[in-house]
Amino acid sequence: MSQNIYDNDDFFAGYSRLRRSVEGLSGAAEWPVLRDWLGDVRGAHVLDLGCGFGWACRWAREAGAAEVTGIDLSENMLARAREMTPDSAVRYVLGDLETAEIAPGAWDVIYSSLALHYIADLAGLFARAHAGLRQGGRLVFSVEHPIFTAPTNPGWLEQDGRKVWPVDGYLSEGPRSTNWLAPGVIKQHRGIGTYVSLLLAAGFRLEHLVEWGPSPEQIADNPVWSIERDRPPFLLVSASLSP
Amino acid sequence: MSQNIYDNDDFFAGYSRLRRSVEGLSGAAEWPVLRDWLGDVRGAHVLDLGCGFGWACRWAREAGAAEVTGIDLSENMLARAREMTPDSAVRYVLGDLETAEIAPGAWDVIYSSLALHYIADLAGLFARAHAGLRQGGRLVFSVEHPIFTAPTNPGWLEQDGRKVWPVDGYLSEGPRSTNWLAPGVIKQHRGIGTYVSLLLAAGFRLEHLVEWGPSPEQIADNPVWSIERDRPPFLLVSASLSP
């Protein structure tokens, strides 16, 4: 059973104020890369693992998806998602990704934004996702980058007047407790090698892997983001059924 | 034209004293993983890019390879490799990997140990390697891990009594000048995402990707190695021809 931090009042209040919560996909700077990989979803059956407020579910439906299902473990988030998506072709389902059933052979696209780093049994989830995809289907996801999740103390240090990110424990995979919006948020740290190995072991073929940082244009709009190029915040992956 | 630091007298003297130079493959702790990926090379045509003293070339020949060619830009290293490998089926060729010709469709295995992080035009090298492989062939290589090559000051820092590795510039790819065995050794820093993207763009299929650190058994034998689990020193990759 995953920690349900999103139904913690303080966390939910903080999360609701994040730019990506207020503005939706246009407030998520990594979204253009993921959208390109999602491609043409007209007529597609789309599953969103950890759908939150349902921004991507709505995007998929507006882009022509035939049917969209979002799964999330937060009642708070699903309530808002349903309120914002009055569309009978979009379903929101309460579920824990550790164990949630994924209908076999039912999906053209399985998407997940910044949720899989909460999952302890990622091998199990990838196996269910692989079985859930139809021929030609793909899994597109983002997670926090392992450089970001590894440290005992995840915060910038000063060295010779520059900021450096203090990596330790990179190969010591497992839970990390951090204070992000609320104390004691549990994330599962794993390396890029492990994400890739688990995907390949589940039968996926790797199509794209990007260590995301803001573009020069995005930094021009938000100069404080330039530090994110010193250690990438997100890992973005697209994988398809073999061969 | 790559920097030929291996023919710098100080560098060569230092390099020659490294455990992996003295003991060969048994002194290279990551070798067992690469050897597993190389698999059965009986009857195979094997190319080693940056062969150094030729340890892997000799291994391949002793493991039954039909023909082995090693390419290196260091006359010093090739002289010693030739001296240690009196075998007409093993050839050593002077060449710069930036431009070295790779005979098309001639190779079952292309191998490279800790050499590709010196190469500026890696896309070009991957394209030549892809063209050089026969059907069923594979490219197996190791490089210094990007967490290792990224920092402006690549050395451990103290934080709260622990050692941390000070990452900056991760997404700023390009040359890094370090003082390793000799001052001003130039390496090309690139992220894991870039290694993967260049492989996929060249037409490879990713088979394995491991962020290597010492095993518990290796640490028991060499306790000082435990720090290497805090930030992996090497990235190991195996790729095959698509599909």
Side-chain angles (χ1 to χ4, degrees):
Chain A
M1 173 70 197
S2 298
Q3 179 192 40
N4 180 2
I5 194 73
Y6 286 84
D7 282 341
N8 166 305
D9 288 346
D10 290 340
F11 185 95
F12 186 73
Y15 185 85
S16 298
R17 286 191 294 269
L18 292 181
R19 185 168 160 190
R20 63 181 60 225
S21 301
V22 176
E23 299 179 18
L25 299 171
S26 65
E30 77 284 11
W31 166 247
V33 178
L34 298 166
R35 185 189 55 211
D36 281 354
W37 295 348
L38 290 169
D40 184 356
V41 297
R42 281 176 295 180
H45 294 252
V46 176
L47 178 63
D48 185 345
L49 301 175
C51 63
F53 293 143
W55 293 106
C57 292
R58 291 212 298 291
W59 168 83
R61 180 63 176 149
E62 285 164 14
E67 187 212 342
V68 182
T69 296
I71 301 179
D72 206 282
L73 89 174
S74 162
E75 290 275 17
N76 277 339
M77 303 198 78
L78 291 181
R80 195 176 299 183
R82 289 192 187 102
E83 192 182 298
M84 297 199 291
T85 320
D87 183 331
S88 63
V90 181
R91 287 196 321 142
Y92 291 108
V93 179
L94 187 71
D96 182 346
L97 299 184
E98 293 284 4
T99 53
E101 204 179 316
I102 296 179
W107 308 101
D108 302 293
V109 175
I110 300 181
Y111 172 76
S112 180
S113 170
L114 300 178
L116 301 187
H117 53 253
Y118 293 118
I119 305 306
D121 181 18
L122 191 58
L125 180 58
F126 281 168
R128 282 176 283 136
H130 189 270
L133 286 171
R134 296 174 171 171
Q135 203 52 45
R138 55 202 178 284
L139 169 66
V140 173
F141 69 89
S142 63
V143 287
E144 289 185 355
H145 194 288
I147 295 181
F148 188 81
T149 58
T152 306
N153 285 326
W156 296 99
L157 279 184
E158 287 279 324
Q159 183 189 41
D160 306 334
R162 286 171 299 98
K163 285 185 174 167
V164 296
W165 184 256
V167 172
D168 66 347
Y170 187 96
L171 293 176
S172 300
E173 302 190 333
R176 295 288 192 277
S177 177
T178 63
N179 302 323
W180 177 64
L181 303 179
V185 178
I186 306 294
K187 296 171 186 170
Q188 301 292 331
H189 166 68
R190 44 179 69 88
I192 294 180
T194 299
Y195 281 106
V196 169
S197 298
L198 292 177
L199 282 169
L200 298 177
F204 283 103
R205 179 180 177 128
L206 191 70
E207 300 286 355
H208 299 285
L209 187 152
V210 163
E211 298 173 286
W212 185 87
S215 66
E217 296 72 29
Q218 290 172 323
I219 291 171
D221 287 346
N222 299 275
V224 294
W225 286 3
S226 67
I227 190 77
E228 303 292 327
R229 293 196 65 82
D230 280 291
R231 72 87 189 86
F234 303 136
L235 175 67
L236 316 183
V237 176
S238 176
S240 63
L241 297 192
S242 293
Chain B
M1 173 72 197
S2 299
Q3 178 191 41
N4 180 3
I5 194 72
Y6 286 84
D7 282 342
N8 167 304
D9 288 345
D10 291 341
F11 185 97
F12 187 74
Y15 185 86
S16 299
R17 286 191 295 268
L18 293 181
R19 185 167 160 190
R20 63 183 59 227
S21 300
V22 175
E23 299 179 18
L25 299 171
S26 65
E30 76 285 8
W31 165 246
V33 178
L34 298 167
R35 184 190 55 210
D36 282 354
W37 295 348
L38 290 168
D40 184 355
V41 297
R42 281 177 295 180
H45 294 252
V46 177
L47 177 65
D48 185 344
L49 302 175
C51 63
F53 293 143
W55 293 106
C57 292
R58 292 212 296 292
W59 167 83
R61 180 64 177 147
E62 286 163 14
E67 187 211 341
V68 182
T69 296
I71 302 179
D72 207 283
L73 89 173
S74 161
E75 290 275 17
N76 277 339
M77 303 198 77
L78 291 181
R80 195 176 298 185
R82 289 191 188 103
E83 192 182 298
M84 296 198 291
T85 321
D87 183 332
S88 64
V90 181
R91 287 196 322 142
Y92 292 109
V93 179
L94 188 71
D96 182 346
L97 300 183
E98 293 284 4
T99 52
E101 202 179 317
I102 296 179
W107 308 100
D108 301 293
V109 177
I110 300 181
Y111 172 76
S112 181
S113 170
L114 299 178
L116 301 187
H117 52 254
Y118 293 116
I119 305 307
D121 180 17
L122 191 58
L125 181 57
F126 281 168
R128 281 176 285 138
H130 189 271
L133 286 170
R134 296 174 172 173
Q135 203 54 43
R138 57 201 176 286
L139 169 67
V140 174
F141 69 88
S142 62
V143 287
E144 290 185 355
H145 194 288
I147 294 182
F148 187 81
T149 57
T152 306
N153 285 327
W156 297 99
L157 279 185
E158 287 279 325
Q159 183 190 40
D160 306 334
R162 287 171 299 98
K163 286 186 173 166
V164 297
W165 185 257
V167 172
D168 66 347
Y170 188 95
L171 294 176
S172 300
E173 301 191 333
R176 296 287 192 279
S177 177
T178 64
N179 301 324
W180 177 63
L181 303 180
V185 177
I186 305 295
K187 296 171 186 170
Q188 301 292 331
H189 166 69
R190 45 178 69 87
I192 294 180
T194 300
Y195 281 108
V196 169
S197 298
L198 292 176
L199 283 169
L200 297 177
F204 283 103
R205 178 179 177 130
L206 190 70
E207 300 285 355
H208 298 284
L209 186 153
V210 164
E211 298 173 285
W212 185 88
S215 66
E217 297 73 29
Q218 290 172 323
I219 291 172
D221 287 346
N222 300 276
V224 295
W225 286 4
S226 66
I227 190 77
E228 302 292 325
R229 294 196 64 82
D230 280 292
R231 70 90 187 87
F234 303 137
L235 175 68
L236 316 183
V237 176
S238 176
S240 63
L241 297 192
S242 293

